[in-house]
Amino acid sequence: MAEIKLEDIIKPENLVFQKTKLFTDKPLSYCPGCGHGVVHRLILEAIEELGIESETIGVAPVGCSVLAYEFMNIDIAQAPHGRAPALATGIKRVYPEKFVFTYQGDGDLAAIGTAETIHACNRGENISIFFINNGIYGMTGGQMAPTTLPGMASSTSPYGRDVASMGHPLKMTELVANLPGTRFVARHAVHTPALVRKAKKAILKAFENQKENKGLSFIEIVSNCNSGWKMTPVKSNQWLTENMLEYYKLGTLKDE
Amino acid sequence: MGELRLMKGNEAIAEGFIRAGVDAYYGYPITPQSEVMEYLMAEKPEERTGMVVLQAESELAAINMVYGAACTGKKIVTSSSSPGISLMQESFSYIAGSEVPAVVLNVVRGGPGLGDIQPAQSDYFQSTKGGGHGDYRQIVLAPSSVQEMYDFVNLAFDLAFKYRIMVLILSDGAIGQMMEKVMLDEQKPRLTNQEIKDRFDSWALTGRTPGREHNIITSLDLDQENLERHNFHLQKKYKEIEENEVILEEVSLEDAEYVFMAYGTSARICHKALQIARKEGIKVGLLRPITLWPFPEKKVKELASKVKGFLSVEMSAGQMIEDIRLAVEGKTKVAHFGRYGGVIHSPEEVVAALKSKIIGG
Amino acid sequence: MAKVRGAIVVDVERCKGCELCIGSCPTDVLRMAVDVNGKGYHYAYMENPEACTGCVNCATVCPDTVITVYRIKVVD
Ligand SMILES: Cc1ncc(C[n+]2csc(CCOP(=O)(O)OP(=O)(O)O)c2C)c(N)n1
Ligand code: SF4
Ligand code: SF4
Ligand code: SF4
């Protein structure tokens, strides 16, 4: 066998994976290893594959991903903390033929924005909600989130979340799956190649559901927050598998 | 062709929303303005014009639906009354910071807190000074008749789109609930999506048109120098509005020695009080600001050096009086009169106050 | 027998050194460079390029999408 040089492989015709063109040129502002970057990519890849970049309007939250609009090369609004589903409702109702999605963290979606989330789901708005659950408030420096696990330490639960006084972690995905307005509800993760591929399929489906007027798709992504958890990215993904996924079970909760 | 109808203020403005070609109304019930959404729902505007009407789960949701939809270049409106408007303030600030056009109606009731459901004018500070955070302004229009409730819809949207700013129509429970004749004009067509793209594609979220950069609507800029520059830009815009958009009504000011200054329901009462006073030989006029912001500062200044005093007549403990005092700069007497907490003063009380606080005071 | 050979290109300046790609590689191709990039991060590189099959695993988990993957079929 003749020796194959790298230059022979690295040629445009042999390309099998490259960054989607729907990323802007700006480097992501996220910490090393942060799952936000993967989820951004999957959403943009789905939009690109469906060819709907000129028909899509996104809504970014308040949280680490507040700057999602800097990185996603689509028309996009930045919502007040927790209100993304209300903005998305407002947009979708006046542009029913556009693809409208929200991108929200767990503080945004499951604490301050609980009412907007539940009611958008309950009305069955024909939108996609992408919910990044990292069990903590990343942007503000690692405070307890509604999703923080029992016993899990954060800067506002330094001795661990005491469920007796601080309440229980909120399983928003189970909650909205119970509402008649939701159509497709699933929980995914993005820390292994296989899981990323599955999550991508769900995200694609969420957009396709909009096209077919099927109603609300709600996709939770259990993700990491290396900075907030104070672990290396590799460690935090391990911790995620061992702890987060025990409480937040992956899978499709509803697909009608 | 116009059409004359007897309507409540709240109904007239709702009809105005439909006829102005508004794309969506998002709201939440609260007295004394619930008729706005009730009227809209009964009228089936989705059949008349394709206008969307949606009852939200709260005023927070309603104003954020407005914010989202307004980002797309559509004509969007909400209405509420005092406590609901308080709840919306964070988003007013976002709307100002990100410069999207929107129209909001406040049918003011007595406060503070849950207060009562009677007419009041105690939200002047909140409306004109900004109840939300940051250095921002919104245009405030004060109708004083059912006809103006209707007419100000088009005015509000013209201004909102001209400056990409929020316009607040500041009414009160009396004007919202009273019935008067109103002349309705013809239905304006809603803009098509293509017309919206043609007009607003430079900023609106219409879906990234091939060949253009993506549009972003945000009020965030983490670089303080940039944010200061953005604030300079906003202040420049506000200055321009102050110079060009003041609207006021003058009544019998030519020979006036005294001035009632009042808006909305109080202005109606002052009309009456003026007649009573004039009969008694008191030369009083009325200055009615129609834009509360921008405030008719120049007019007040001009009058200040001619007249013997201003009586600020407000259904509040005295809020607009602060702007009058600033403009008058001590050149003449300024006093406040008004009943509040939902109580409306009588014309006689106003005349008595003029005598005791200004003429004899 | 048809085999595949792959290769990756890391956008060195955008790599944040998170090391997530390393563990995702089924054929143990990747290592972190001793050197750092302009931002001070160690970056990923192919230590064993001949073992790369172009399976795209590394690019799939990379949060910053800094990996581009190429693949060819090789006939023995
Ligand atoms: C009204 C309001 N309250 C509080 C904040 C402060 N704040 C900013 S981000 C954030 C939490 C975000 O956490 P999460 O949604 O979990 O997203 P993450 O940063 O973890 O991705 C908070 C409380 C704010 N910006 N606005
Ligand atoms: S703080 Fe946490 S959520 Fe935010 S970018 Fe860093 S790792 Fe990601
Ligand atoms: S493409 Fe596959 S085999 Fe090649 S380096 Fe990446 S993970 Fe390893
Ligand atoms: S996963 Fe990406 S960012 Fe992280 S070390 Fe590998 S190449 Fe660098």
Side-chain angles (χ1 to χ4, degrees), chain A residues 148-154 157-163 169 239:
Chain A
T148 299
L149 296 179
M152 181 175 166
S154 73
S157 58
Y159 309 109
R161 180 178 191 152
D162 168 25
V163 294
W239 191 88

Side-chain angles (χ1 to χ4, degrees), chain A residues 234-248:
Chain A
V234 172
K235 267 263 156 54
S236 71
N237 282 353
Q238 234 170 349
W239 191 88
L240 184 156
T241 313
E242 289 160 10
N243 299 277
M244 293 284 278
L245 298 189
E246 275 299 301
Y247 198 89
Y248 300 110

Side-chain angles (χ1 to χ4, degrees), chain C residues 10 14-21 32 44 61-64 66-67:
Chain C
V10 175
R14 290 201 172 189
C15 172
K16 289 183 184 157
C18 71
E19 306 188 13
L20 293 182
C21 53
M32 298 309 291
V61 296
C62 174
D64 292 85
V66 303
I67 299 177

Side-chain angles (χ1 to χ4, degrees), chain C residues 7-62:
Chain C
I8 66 157
V9 176
V10 175
D11 184 344
V12 169
E13 282 310 311
R14 290 201 172 189
C15 172
K16 289 183 184 157
C18 71
E19 306 188 13
L20 293 182
C21 53
I22 308 283
S24 78
C25 177
T27 53
D28 199 24
V29 173
L30 304 169
R31 289 287 181 280
M32 298 309 291
V34 179
D35 267 4
V36 293
N37 63 15
K39 292 245 155 42
Y41 292 122
H42 297 287
Y43 51 88
Y45 74 101
M46 289 198 287
E47 167 71 14
N48 311 304
E50 12 0 276
C52 178
T53 61
C55 73
V56 193
N57 271 4
C58 52
T60 303
V61 296
C62 174

